[in-house]
Amino acid sequence: MDPGGRSVHMLANFNRQRMTPSVYFYGGDSDVLYSEHDSGREDDVFKLQLLFMKFMGQVPMQLERRLPLGWKNVAGMFAKSYCIFCVISNLHLAILYVKTTLDMLHNGELEEITDALTMAIIYSFSTFATCYWLFNAEALNSFIGDINANYRHHSMAGLTFVSAEHSIRLAYKVTLYWLIACCVGVVCWALAPLLLRSHTLPLRCWYPFDALKPVVYEVVYATQLWCQILMGCIFGNGSALFVSVVLIMLGQFDVLYCSLKNVDYNAQLLAGGDLITLRNLQRDLPRPADDELNQYALLEEHLTDLTALRVSKPNSRPSLKEALHSSLVECVLLHQFILKSCNTLEGLFNPYCLIKSLQITLQLCLLAFVGVAGERSTMRTINLVQYLALTLSELLMFTYCGELLSSHSIRVGEAFWRSGWWLNGNLIKRDIFIFLANSKRVVVVTAGKFYRMDVQRLRSVITQAFSFLTLLQKLAEKNQ
């Protein structure tokens, strides 16, 4: 926090050993609850996201943990083989569609070329996404493990508190519903020939053999169905993971802001303050309906049940200055954890976001063109609308969450001014100045360090996509 930050950190550790856990607890191993609205700590906040990524071969399965010692090598080889199988499943269709696109360039219609090129782009990106997370699996597991170990599930003890449970539950629900939507979209496309009772394949691409022969047709159809499900989940896994991390970090910012708001009250609790006085202050707090709006991005503030808190014993109480010092240090440590996590998020996702932006731009253009100029059938129209809606939704998820994280990250100073800092601010004025000077660090998520993933990028991508669409329409009119 300052040149003497080492001594500050040592003081925080010293106070941590001296204080009663029920008052001090700030998200560690214990599960001390502040009221009936508080909740216990989750051990793994990304279990659903990692489960889908392991099933899609993007992160190797850790089967060796569940098998005897003699089977660990076999389990490791199976996990790697499954990942390679998933990569090949995507890659072979990407190659087949590239071949189809090249063949169409010689004697095909523009609509057929764009149709094949769309699927080539989709499966090429699916192959890239699988390989990208495979190469970064160790960094991803380390990142997720760090968040699981260090996130705070509620704010410091004070007159009010927020619980991070809502942000974790929201991340879980967004992941579940988004992946279901992606799977439904691709499965509807894959099942179209069966629903129409047509002896055709869902994916019309070149094969070096007759794919419509008996037995061969069933095998190829099953392969394409598997690849469609695989592609759909891979399509959603990256954005689901990104949104989940952003939502959890927004929850951590809310925890930090509520802790800053209660710094003075937390210090009074630690120093053995009069609970009767604190309860009177709590009664005078504004009602939630009358309180300042938009203090928090996701979480809801509740009153702390002060009767459940035990004040430190007289022989172990710190002075008010020490308590203020350690309370502010804990806020600094949480702020540093959030910034470190956001920097890691940026490092993991900025190459991914660059390729994803390019893929979405081309895909939006081609899907819109195929929908306007391609063959008109009810099932095909429904499938194209689904793909277009999923693509636009994914773009919105990346850009809106990036915008929300950036705008919410610079409100640290505002949160501190909501506290009663002036009552005892003279005791830690140097710490306050340094903290506020370091509170203006903006969290930014970029695409390849070239541009920010924000609402401005959403507008830019849609504008570029429809500029390309206009160009394709003019080419189609010229050919006619």
Side-chain angles (χ1 to χ4, degrees):
M1 188 173 76
D2 60 344
R6 186 176 303 173
S7 61
V8 171
H9 186 67
M10 291 175 63
L11 177 60
N13 289 335
F14 177 65
N15 286 339
R16 181 180 293 120
Q17 296 172 1
R18 294 168 53 189
M19 297 171 191
T20 306
S22 61
V23 174
Y24 178 80
F25 177 61
Y26 189 45
D29 296 331
S30 303
D31 271 335
V32 178
L33 306 183
Y34 293 155
S35 81
E36 61 182 7
H37 299 288
D38 201 358
S39 62
R41 183 182 178 84
E42 294 279 349
D43 293 330
D44 187 359
V45 298
F46 295 101
K47 54 188 176 184
L48 181 64
Q49 293 85 347
L50 276 182
L51 177 65
F52 272 94
M53 295 187 80
K54 289 176 180 178
F55 183 67
M56 297 299 112
Q58 294 178 288
V59 175
M61 299 180 184
Q62 297 173 331
L63 301 174
E64 59 273 12
R65 295 182 178 180
R66 297 181 175 87
L67 295 175
L69 184 62
W71 290 87
K72 288 189 176 181
N73 292 333
V74 176
M77 291 181 61
F78 175 79
K80 292 177 182 177
S81 300
Y82 179 73
C83 292
I84 294 172
F85 170 71
C86 292
V87 172
I88 292 174
S89 297
N90 288 294
L91 181 60
H92 95 276
L93 273 175
I95 294 173
L96 291 177
Y97 267 113
V98 169
K99 168 65 175 172
T100 304
T101 305
L102 293 175
D103 290 344
M104 291 292 181
L105 289 175
H106 298 290
N107 53 12
E109 297 291 333
L110 186 59
E111 295 83 0
E112 296 174 332
I113 297 172
T114 53
D115 199 353
L117 183 59
T118 301
M119 299 307 296
I121 291 172
I122 290 174
Y123 275 100
S124 296
F125 177 80
S126 184
T127 305
F128 160 77
T130 306
C131 295
Y132 180 82
W133 291 117
L134 271 176
F135 287 131
N136 290 279
E138 185 176 348
L140 178 62
N141 285 324
S142 175
F143 174 50
I144 289 175
D146 185 59
I147 292 178
N148 285 328
N150 296 306
Y151 86 94
R152 274 69 164 176
H153 78 262
H154 58 202
S155 55
M156 289 194 302
L159 300 188
T160 60
F161 75 94
V162 296
S163 173
E165 180 190 21
H166 178 68
S167 63
I168 295 171
R169 292 284 176 265
L170 185 59
Y172 182 91
K173 290 179 181 179
V174 168
T175 299
L176 183 62
Y177 295 150
W178 171 242
L179 289 173
I180 288 174
C182 292
C183 288
V184 168
V186 296
V187 168
C188 287
W189 188 295
L191 295 180
L194 291 180
L195 296 175
L196 297 175
R197 296 183 179 181
S198 171
H199 189 70
T200 57
L201 292 170
L203 303 176
R204 302 174 185 177
C205 58
W206 172 86
Y207 280 97
F209 51 82
D210 187 359
L212 298 181
K213 286 184 178 180
V215 181
V216 177
Y217 173 76
E218 285 77 12
V219 172
V220 172
Y221 197 111
T223 302
Q224 290 192 356
L225 179 60
W226 157 250
C227 290
Q228 279 287 91
I229 295 173
L230 188 68
M231 181 269 293
C233 289
I234 291 172
F235 183 93
N237 279 343
S239 47
L241 178 64
F242 178 82
V243 172
S244 297
V245 175
V246 170
L247 290 176
I248 289 172
M249 287 300 106
L250 288 172
Q252 291 302 288
F253 271 118
D254 287 349
V255 168
L256 171 63
Y257 296 166
C258 188
S259 297
L260 287 169
K261 186 178 179 180
N262 283 278
V263 161
D264 189 68
Y265 305 124
N266 180 258
Q268 292 182 48
L269 284 169
L270 297 180
D274 184 11
L275 287 181
I276 296 177
T277 303
L278 291 173
R279 288 181 193 133
N280 291 334
L281 290 172
Q282 191 181 56
R283 279 197 293 268
D284 293 337
L285 291 175
R287 297 175 301 172
D290 301 328
D291 204 0
E292 181 183 344
L293 296 176
N294 301 321
Q295 292 183 47
Y296 308 109
L298 299 176
L299 306 184
E300 183 179 354
E301 192 175 23
H302 302 283
L303 294 178
T304 303
D305 183 6
L306 294 174
T307 59
L309 298 179
R310 298 191 303 273
V311 182
S312 305
K313 296 180 180 179
N315 61 354
S316 64
R317 289 175 186 166
S319 67
L320 183 59
K321 181 178 180 179
E322 288 177 335
L324 281 168
H325 206 57
S326 64
S327 296
L328 189 58
V329 165
E330 285 302 318
C331 293
V332 171
L333 294 177
L334 175 55
H335 191 215
Q336 289 175 344
F337 160 69
I338 296 172
L339 293 178
K340 177 186 173 184
S341 299
C342 291
N343 287 336
T344 307
L345 173 70
E346 154 70 9
L348 275 174
F349 272 93
N350 83 76
Y352 184 88
C353 287
L354 179 63
I355 304 300
K356 170 58 72 173
S357 296
L358 178 62
Q359 177 241 338
I360 287 178
T361 302
L362 294 175
Q363 193 170 312
L364 280 176
C365 165
L366 295 173
L367 283 172
F369 179 77
V370 171
V372 172
E375 66 175 82
R376 301 296 178 85
S377 65
T378 303
M379 185 59 68
R380 182 174 174 80
T381 302
I382 292 174
N383 291 336
L384 286 172
V385 169
Q386 286 176 332
Y387 268 49
L388 188 62
L390 290 173
T391 304
L392 284 170
S393 299
E394 188 177 34
L395 176 62
L396 180 62
M397 289 165 69
F398 273 102
T399 54
Y400 179 70
C401 286
E403 176 78 25
L404 200 59
L405 188 61
S406 296
S407 61
H408 198 58
S409 65
I410 57 175
R411 303 181 64 191
V412 180
E414 296 177 23
F416 183 75
W417 298 130
R418 297 188 187 102
S419 69
W421 63 272
W422 62 88
L423 299 175
N424 301 292
N426 61 307
L427 300 177
I428 54 169
K429 57 184 178 181
R430 183 167 177 261
D431 296 328
I432 291 174
F433 290 146
I434 296 173
F435 174 73
L436 292 177
N438 293 325
S439 66
K440 297 299 183 182
R441 294 177 59 182
V442 183
V443 173
V444 177
V445 180
T446 67
K449 304 292 184 181
F450 291 109
Y451 42 79
R452 296 172 58 169
M453 295 298 290
D454 53 16
V455 176
Q456 179 65 24
R457 186 58 192 164
L458 171 67
R459 186 185 68 83
S460 177
V461 168
I462 293 178
T463 301
Q464 292 171 4
F466 282 92
S467 297
F468 293 150
L469 172 62
T470 303
L471 178 62
L472 285 176
Q473 288 177 326
K474 290 182 178 179
L475 285 174
E477 293 174 0
K478 184 177 180 181
N479 289 338
Q480 289 176 356

